[in-house]
Each structure stands twice: as C-alpha cells, then as structure tokens.
Amino acid sequence: MCTCNNQSLPYEGDSRLTELLEEYKGQKGALIPLLQKTQSIFGYLPEPALRRIAESLKLPLSQVYGVATFYSQFRLKPQGRHVIKVCQGTACHVRGASRILDRLQRELNIKPGETTEDLRFTIEPVACLGACGLAPVMMVDDEAHGRLTPDVIPKILAKYA
Amino acid sequence: MSTLKKINNFVELRQLREQLKKNYQESLSNEIKIIVGMGTCGIAAGANDVMKAIIDELQRRNINATVMQTGCIGMCAQEPIVEIIRPGEKRVTYGRISPADAKRLIEEHVLQGRIVEDLVVATFEEGHPDETNFYKQQRLVLRNCGHIDPEKIEDYIARDGYMALARVLEQMTPEEVIEEIKASGLRGRGGAGFLTGLKWSFAAKAPGDKKYVICNADEGDPGAFMDRSIMEGDPHSVLEGMLIGAYAIGADEGYIYVRAEYPLAIKRLRTALAQAEEMGLIGKNILGTDFSFTLHIKEGAGAFVCGEETALIASIEGKRGMPRPRPPFPATSGLWGKPTNINNVETWANVPIIIRNGAEWYASIGTETSKGTKVFALTGKVKNTGLVEVPMGITLREIIFDIGGGILKDKKFKAVQIGGPSGGCLPEEKLDLPVDYESLTRAGAIMGSGGLVVMDQNTCMVDVAKFFLNFTRAESCGKCTPCREGIQRMREILQNICKGKGTLEDLDRLETLANTIKDTALCGLGQTAPNPVLTTLRYFREEYEAHIRDKRCPAGICQDLLTYFIQPELCRGCTACVRVCPVGAISGEVRKPHVIDPEKCIKCGSCKETCRFSAIAVK
C-alpha cells in the first residue's frame, strides 16, 4: 500500500498507539475495537492515526475511513472534555426533548454536533439512551440525567468544569 | 470480591447452590437488608447519592445492615427505589427516595421497625409469588431483576442459575435441546418473531466444523430498553442461554454485540463473563464435559442498522454495518462465512427458563401462536413508566391502563406507538387487541422489541410520523436506493405538511412511496420504515387533512402552524412568563395584561408551561 505520505507523522512516536497496534496485530475484526481505543486515547481519530491503523492492519485507507465515518461513535475532529449526549428517542421526543436540546444550544452557543471554543462541551444528539422511563434524558460523559426540564440545564452544566 | 472456586462437575455445582441458598435464607433471618436499584434509570434519577447517604448514615449511627445494589426493578417512574427487609418481616419497596428520605428510612424503618407509609410503593411477602408478579405481570425473564446483585454470580446460582446448563449437559443431546425449544413455541423477541427452535435447527444442520452463536444486544429501537435492563440486572441469564444454544447447534465460540450507548450493561456483562470463566462455566471442558465455549463482548459503534443480523455480522468483522441480501442466511454462512445463529438478549434469556421448567409448561403461557411472556417498555405519556413483563395475549388496554395506571395528568389517550421505527401507531379502538405477533401485524404494527410509547391528545401524529422518518433517514445505511432516497422524499413531503404547505395529493404520493419502499428495500429496516407513516395515515388521516386543508395542527405541536398569544382577561401581569422567555418576546407592565411579540416569539412554549393562570393560548 501507499506509504508515501507518512514520513513525519505527529503520532509516529506515540507509544500508546504503537502498543495498541501491536496488541491487535493479526486479529480478525480488529478495526472497530482499534478505532474505539484510539479514540479513547486522543478523544478523536486524527488522520495520521488512521493512516497508521490502515498500514498496520494492511487495509486500504479508504476502508478505514469508510468505517470511521459510518458509525456515529467516531469523530474526526477534536471533541470537548465533556460530551453531552442528548436523547432524541421517541419517549423523550413526546416528553419535550427538543426543548432540552434548544436550551443546551442557547446555553453553550453551539449547534448539535459542535464543540464549544474552550473545548469544554460537545453536544451530540443520540438516537436513544434507553432510559425512556425517565424521559427526557441526557448523558454527560457516562453520567445519565433524567426527568429534565429546560430550567435545570444550567445547574447540570455547572457541575462539569 | 471474594475469590471464586472452579466448579469441576455437576455435583459441585448443586452443592454450591444448596450452600448459597442456605446462606441466603440465614441472612434473611439474621440481618437487615437494604437494596438500592442501581440500573441506568435508577442512577439517572439519583440512586448514587441515595446509596451514599445510606452508607454514610449507617456508618455514622454504627448500624449493622447489608446494603446491596440490584438492577432495574422495573418501576422507572418510582426511581430511585430503595427496598428494606427486616428479619422475618415483609419486603418494603420505597419510591422516589431522596438522600434526605433515605436518612428517614434508616431512622424510622431500620432502627425503629416502623414502615414509613408515605413513601411506600409496595410491600411483599419475601418468596411469595406476588413478590415478582405484582399487578398483572408474570415475571419470568425479569425474575431476578431487582432481586440479585448483578455483579455477583453467587446470587444468580442461589436462584437456580446455571442449573439449566447443568441439566442440558448432563441429560440431553443437542437434538433434544432443539426439540425442547421448538416445542416451547419460543419466537424471536427482537423483530420478526421467527421460531427460535427452528432457527437453531438450521444452524445445527448446516455443514461446518466451526460455528458461532451471537447475542444481538444492539437494542437500537428508541423507546425500548428491556435488553439493557436484562443485561444490567441479570447478565448471567444471557450467558447461560447462549451456552445452551451453543451446545445445541454445536458452536464453540460466541459474541455479544452490545451497543456502546450502554456503558453499564457492558461493564456488568464483562464482570459476569469474568466470573463465569473463573468458575469454569465458560471455557474449556465445562463442568467436566467435552463441551467448551469461549465468549467475546463486542462494543457496537453506533449504527441502528446493525440490529439487522447480516449488518451486525459485518460490523463484528470490522466492516461498515451494511446488510446483504439473504440467502445465504447466517445459519449457513454467517460470521467469517461460518454457520451462525443470532438471537437477541430477551430471546436468549428465555432459554434457561424453558429448559428448567419444561417446554410444556412454557407453551401453556400465552396464545395459540405466541407463547410465553413478553417484556414491554412502557413509556411516554403514561403514569407508571417502566418495564413490564406480561403473558402474551393480554390486551394493550390492560398494559396501559391497569399496569401503566393510565395517562399522565388524566389526559385523553390518543395512540400507542408499538415496535419502534418499524412499528406503528395504534388508536383507541385497537386497545382491546390481544398482544401477539399476528394481531399486531394485522393492525399494521409489529411486536418488534416491545417498546410501547403512549401518546395523549397533545401529541401530533403527523409530527410523530416525521420524527420516525427523521430517525430512519439518519440511520439508513445508504446501500439500497428505495430506503436511501425514498425515505428522504417521504420526509420532505411530511415536512411540507407540517409547515402548512402540503396538498391532498401529497397523501396519495406518500402512500405510493411507502408501499414501494416496503416492497423493494433490501433489509427489514428499510421494508418496515414506512410503517409509522402508513399507520398514522390509516388511523389518523383527519389530522393530516387538518394540517393541509385548515393549515392547523390540532395537537398544537407543529410550530410553523402555531401562534402564541396572551388572553388579556386571564393574565394577571405576574411577569413569570417574561422571566422564562428566552428571547425577550413578552412585554407589559406589572399587574397588567402582557403581550407576546409574534415577530420575536420562537414558539418554544416556555411561557405556556410557566403561566399559573392558563392565560397563554395557542392557535
């Protein structure tokens, strides 16, 4: 495969990525777990890292890129320190999820999918968090917040520096 | 955690169960138990703080009591839930507990033995059938949820866990296991409702020395969370089901494909797997037999279409999750081209129950064609949101009104959406329909995974149809044209209708498109995507027509068709609305009627919700 473009990659020397690639070498179906773990190191998938993964798994970069853009979990741009997953599921929808999303957008002054300038928050609308009994729901990092009303949003956001 | 000892044979497993059962009975008569519901719903409602308050208070007062966590108890509306059992007394369930309430429970119930009546949800005799079968429920799959600590394999074994596996390995041939599952009448709990035993027999008969079993835990239907609750509350039941299935079809390796949005379920599955491996219940020569099995947990990466079995397999193989035409079915050519059997979480969790109690017993529950129980996620505008497990054949009315307690704020029932984005919206006149696969399909919906989203008079059915198309459009994998393009076009028509720009011909166009997509899309998701539109057109056509003809949204939801205004005769000038309006559209003097500037108003509805005098109206 083409190796013309990887002479001075910023992640060339990143030992964490090197270790990961070593761990998954030769394993079947390694691409998605590798992308997941790479994203948990860098917070997103930097292009040089995608190139190294492609090379290590002996896959065309187009296939790696195809997988990285197919699944909603993967991000090709840096994300905020805290990711706010706002549930857009049916139960949340009929209980006013759109007003929660509106309020978040106004509080943080960003649109869904965007990250605040100070890299504090990213808003990520998601299909369903499966906590429908407490609709409407959002999750900040791995912490779920239920029975939301627009008024409680500022208080919740204040908890995350 | 205590170190677990390897179990080498059937005798050791039975001895361990007897010992654990005895320990449990003894603990009931010796110690006070405090149980906190720590499923995702419980934690989202604040269970962590309640747990902390309980532990702190016990320590501060130097009280000896066992505090344990459990998974989803099923009563989401009552979270956070705390249960207290004093030796020899009833199990008392308390709901909506705050950290301050928790301290009260310890002072009054734990210390003084006085039940705190105003916080009680229910009381049960420990061990009595009512304990798990409250209201009209029959909890088989959920029997352990809320009763065991899901992170302790000992709790599962004490309640007869892994006994079905022992029975199968000791007394049954693989063919007998398949016959037993066939005879039980169990059908897939995830979508189309295919007969599970028959599906197993295909993979068992397929030639090949290497076979796989997969658990589809990519519960993507918005409004469904039974699989999450089973994994969080009783993970070993899924493992045991898979072990039995693997033995039956001759597989020695399996995968659980679980969506990344369920971090707690993933954590508890990993814990369960590690414990089962440590005890030798998963691994080489299980319980001293020739049967070996390895299991992997794969995290999904966020794609609804991966609930479709061929797409799920592609995803495990590290590819984009796109479905492929069938045949060949996964039973003959599945993961890495090998015979593969896929069932979802709830289906697998049913397997140990059938083996333990027998197919005949299982087949006596339910209707002619739909056997056993089904877990439903009851959500939306209903009083008792939560998970309910009921025998097949019960009516929707019983679920929504008897178990669910009716509509929130006693408003009028309008529709129930069943089966997620592949399902449909059923109106009042369908409420007496018995819940089974055939009746639901005839009515235009599907059983699907069992999400029931209840809607009241304030829900706009056109908006709901649009909501589902937004979802399916975003989740369409893009492989086949009918789904990729067709859903986009249907959505555009609906958007126009919601803006008051629709025509009556649009309704015919919608129907034609919907039927074409149904007939021509590649996979089940595309073929069923038009269902929400078709059912709302069938049962709520007049609502579409109101949007088109009168440019009016009868439910008051479609923002482009609404104007907010203040009724001067009702307004007291309290200024509450001025303070909540996010765009400063409301003005007026204190104690005099206010007005809304329609130019500035973004129709968010905040003022209407805040007004204590119902002075704000929408037209």
Side-chain angles (χ1 to χ4, degrees):
Chain A
M1 69 171 289
C2 169
T3 53
C4 53
N5 212 357
N6 69 346
Q7 291 134 4
S8 57
L9 300 180
Y11 298 91
E12 187 83 29
D14 196 303
S15 59
R16 291 170 300 178
L17 186 55
T18 311
E19 270 170 40
L20 260 187
L21 293 174
E22 211 41 55
E23 190 188 329
Y24 280 93
K25 210 154 211 153
Q27 274 191 32
K28 282 198 289 190
L31 179 54
I32 291 172
L34 252 180
L35 291 174
Q36 287 169 327
K37 293 205 169 162
T38 305
Q39 181 160 291
S40 67
I41 294 176
F42 302 112
Y44 72 110
L45 297 171
E47 189 189 319
L50 290 181
R51 288 182 185 278
R52 284 192 61 189
I53 290 170
E55 197 179 319
S56 169
L57 296 179
K58 301 196 169 47
L59 291 173
L61 182 59
S62 61
Q63 191 178 331
V64 175
Y65 180 78
V67 169
T69 50
F70 182 85
Y71 295 99
S72 62
Q73 186 186 23
F74 298 124
R75 297 178 202 90
L76 301 181
K77 283 189 200 151
Q79 54 163 336
R81 289 192 297 283
H82 305 288
V83 178
I84 309 171
K85 292 188 180 136
V86 195
C87 186
Q88 305 294 301
T90 324
C92 288
H93 179 75
V94 301
R95 280 198 178 191
S98 60
R99 297 181 45 223
I100 304 299
L101 189 58
D102 284 351
R103 184 63 183 258
L104 276 169
Q105 292 183 53
R106 278 204 307 275
E107 286 294 322
L108 300 174
N109 218 356
I110 51 173
K111 291 202 170 67
E114 291 180 352
T115 301
T116 53
E117 256 176 42
D118 59 3
L119 289 183
R120 188 169 155 214
F121 289 113
T122 300
I123 301 181
E124 190 187 310
V126 295
C128 181
L129 290 169
C132 320
L134 296 177
V137 183
M138 69 179 191
M139 209 173 209
V140 186
D141 302 331
D142 272 352
E143 203 177 347
H145 300 272
R147 294 188 188 124
L148 296 173
T149 58
D151 307 345
V152 302
I153 298 297
K155 223 172 88 187
I156 294 174
L157 293 182
K159 287 206 279 188
Y160 300 90
Chain B
M1 200 182 71
S2 62
T3 46
L4 300 166
K5 248 182 66 187
K6 187 164 189 262
I7 306 172
N8 296 303
N9 51 51
F10 303 116
V11 177
E12 281 181 25
L13 179 62
R14 295 208 174 87
Q15 278 170 351
L16 178 67
R17 177 191 56 172
E18 290 318 311
Q19 185 59 46
L20 290 170
K21 266 198 170 154
K22 209 171 122 225
N23 292 355
Y24 180 75
Q25 282 309 325
E26 276 173 15
S27 77
L28 272 184
S29 49
N30 293 334
E31 57 192 39
I32 300 169
K33 279 189 196 297
I34 303 173
I35 303 159
V36 184
M38 298 282 277
T40 294
C41 296
I43 293 172
N48 272 327
D49 292 338
V50 172
M51 179 71 122
K52 196 173 165 295
I54 291 174
I55 292 171
D56 287 351
E57 190 69 6
L58 290 175
Q59 243 167 19
R60 195 174 67 79
R61 288 168 169 265
N62 218 352
I63 301 169
N64 201 2
T66 309
V67 182
M68 71 174 250
Q69 61 166 355
T70 190
C72 170
I73 297 169
M75 297 183 274
C76 303
Q78 298 293 342
E79 297 283 3
I81 292 174
V82 174
E83 297 190 314
I84 297 178
I85 316 172
R86 281 168 55 94
E89 292 176 19
K90 282 183 179 176
R91 169 190 287 257
V92 182
T93 307
Y94 293 104
R96 294 215 174 212
I97 297 302
S98 66
D101 292 333
K103 288 185 181 162
R104 232 183 103 200
L105 294 183
I106 289 175
E107 167 73 37
E108 296 181 29
H109 191 165
V110 174
L111 269 184
Q112 300 170 20
R114 202 173 65 231
I115 293 173
V116 186
E117 297 291 349
D118 57 307
L119 299 174
V120 170
V121 179
T123 56
F124 301 109
E125 210 75 66
E126 184 68 18
H128 190 272
D130 281 353
E131 181 195 26
T132 47
N133 297 333
F134 43 95
Y135 310 117
K136 290 187 168 180
Q137 296 197 56
Q138 185 170 6
R139 289 164 77 94
L140 303 179
V141 172
L142 300 177
R143 71 197 177 282
N144 287 331
C145 290
H147 291 275
I148 63 170
D149 181 337
E151 298 186 17
K152 286 194 177 140
I153 191 171
E154 295 94 330
D155 282 20
Y156 183 65
I157 294 174
R159 286 174 75 102
D160 298 327
Y162 290 106
M163 288 302 135
L165 174 69
R167 170 148 186 245
V168 160
L169 294 182
E170 197 178 29
Q171 302 165 12
M172 296 170 85
T173 64
E175 295 74 32
E176 284 170 347
V177 177
I178 291 176
E179 284 312 312
E180 189 79 1
I181 299 298
K182 272 190 191 166
S184 74
L186 176 65
R187 297 170 67 171
R189 297 294 192 243
F194 195 78
L195 283 162
T196 306
L198 196 59
K199 196 172 185 180
W200 287 15
S201 72
F202 296 151
K205 280 185 209 140
D209 46 357
K210 178 83 187 172
K211 295 179 184 178
Y212 293 97
V213 288
I214 295 177
C215 173
N216 181 351
D218 193 48
E219 183 175 55
D221 282 7
F225 54 94
M226 57 289 291
D227 288 354
R228 170 179 68 71
S229 291
I230 296 168
M231 292 184 281
E232 285 178 6
D234 194 14
H236 286 285
S237 66
V238 183
L239 305 193
E240 190 179 2
M242 290 184 79
L243 279 160
I244 294 167
Y247 172 75
I249 72 158
D252 65 353
E253 200 171 347
Y255 286 87
I256 301 180
Y257 185 91
V258 50
R259 64 198 293 251
E261 287 88 343
Y262 287 175
L264 187 62
I266 293 169
K267 176 178 161 243
R268 292 205 173 138
L269 282 172
R270 288 196 196 286
T271 307
L273 175 58
Q275 290 171 345
E277 282 174 343
E278 211 177 325
M279 295 188 88
L281 293 164
I282 289 180
K284 280 216 173 328
N285 299 107
I286 294 164
L287 293 168
T289 65
D290 291 339
F291 175 58
S292 301
F293 183 67
T294 45
L295 183 61
H296 314 274
I297 292 166
K298 275 266 179 184
E299 276 182 50
F304 175 69
V305 67
C306 288
E308 200 279 342
E309 55 183 18
T310 59
L312 188 152
I313 288 173
S315 183
I316 293 183
E317 291 174 348
K319 301 177 197 148
R320 286 187 282 173
M322 286 180 164
R324 60 161 178 79
R326 297 175 304 180
F329 285 89
T332 48
S333 175
L335 187 60
W336 322 113
K338 306 288 182 197
T340 303
N341 179 73
I342 304 186
N343 289 120
N344 85 335
V345 173
E346 192 184 337
T347 316
W348 285 122
N350 265 292
V351 169
I353 303 165
I354 295 169
I355 299 293
R356 259 206 323 272
N357 299 298
E360 204 180 319
W361 169 84
Y362 190 85
S364 70
I365 304 164
T367 67
E368 192 56 41
T369 55
S370 307
K371 303 296 187 188
T373 59
K374 177 77 193 88
V375 184
F376 289 97
L378 193 52
T379 63
K381 307 268 185 83
V382 63
K383 281 181 189 156
N384 305 329
T385 56
L387 272 193
V388 298
E389 183 175 352
V390 290
M392 297 269 192
I394 192 172
T395 66
L396 285 167
R397 190 183 298 280
E398 285 173 283
I399 299 177
I400 295 166
F401 287 89
D402 297 349
I403 302 175
I407 309 303
L408 217 52
K409 296 179 187 165
D410 290 320
K411 288 190 178 171
K412 200 172 147 25
F413 171 89
K414 183 167 187 180
V416 55
Q417 207 284 336
I418 173 164
S422 310
C425 295
L426 302 182
E428 169 101 49
E429 67 258 30
K430 295 284 173 191
L431 275 181
D432 292 308
L433 211 62
V435 174
D436 66 34
Y437 291 95
E438 279 69 27
S439 325
L440 290 175
T441 307
R442 264 197 306 275
I446 61 163
M447 178 82 75
S449 51
L452 289 178
V453 185
V454 179
M455 298 166 184
D456 67 6
Q457 65 207 45
N458 295 345
T459 314
C460 168
M461 302 316 289
V462 185
D463 175 71
V464 167
K466 189 180 76 176
F467 164 82
F468 279 111
L469 288 193
N470 278 338
F471 178 84
T472 33
R473 188 202 63 94
E475 294 294 340
S476 171
C477 80
K479 186 168 178 172
C480 74
T481 319
C483 175
R484 184 184 66 235
E485 302 296 330
I487 292 174
Q488 170 72 3
R489 297 288 93 81
M490 285 178 72
R491 176 170 165 261
E492 285 163 8
I493 296 175
L494 281 180
Q495 278 173 332
N496 279 338
I497 295 176
C498 288
K499 284 183 186 150
K501 293 177 187 162
T503 62
L504 287 173
E505 289 76 52
D506 278 343
L507 298 184
D508 298 333
R509 241 174 252 138
L510 265 181
E511 256 166 353
T512 313
L513 257 171
N515 287 319
T516 309
I517 296 171
K518 247 185 134 137
D519 292 340
T520 55
L522 172 62
C523 79
L525 298 182
Q527 289 156 12
T528 54
N531 279 349
V533 175
L534 286 173
T535 48
T536 44
L537 270 174
R538 177 166 159 193
Y539 298 119
F540 300 95
R541 199 178 185 95
E542 71 290 349
E543 212 165 321
Y544 280 86
E545 290 172 356
H547 283 72
I548 294 169
R549 234 186 253 133
D550 316 335
K551 315 283 175 223
R552 186 174 66 84
C553 174
I557 293 293
C558 295
Q559 291 191 353
D560 287 311
L561 302 179
L562 304 180
T563 323
Y564 280 80
F565 64 100
I566 296 175
Q567 296 160 282
E569 65 281 12
L570 293 174
C571 179
R572 307 274 183 91
C574 74
T575 74
C577 56
V578 179
R579 275 173 274 137
V580 295
C581 178
V583 289
I586 306 177
S587 57
E589 282 176 51
V590 180
R591 296 208 187 84
K592 288 194 179 148
H594 283 45
V595 283
I596 299 175
D597 179 351
E599 293 291 305
K600 285 187 187 165
C601 176
I602 56 165
K603 303 166 184 177
C604 71
S606 298
C607 52
K608 189 167 189 283
E609 274 185 22
T610 309
C611 182
R612 284 179 290 132
F613 311 105
S614 307
I616 294 167
V618 189
K619 70 174 176 204

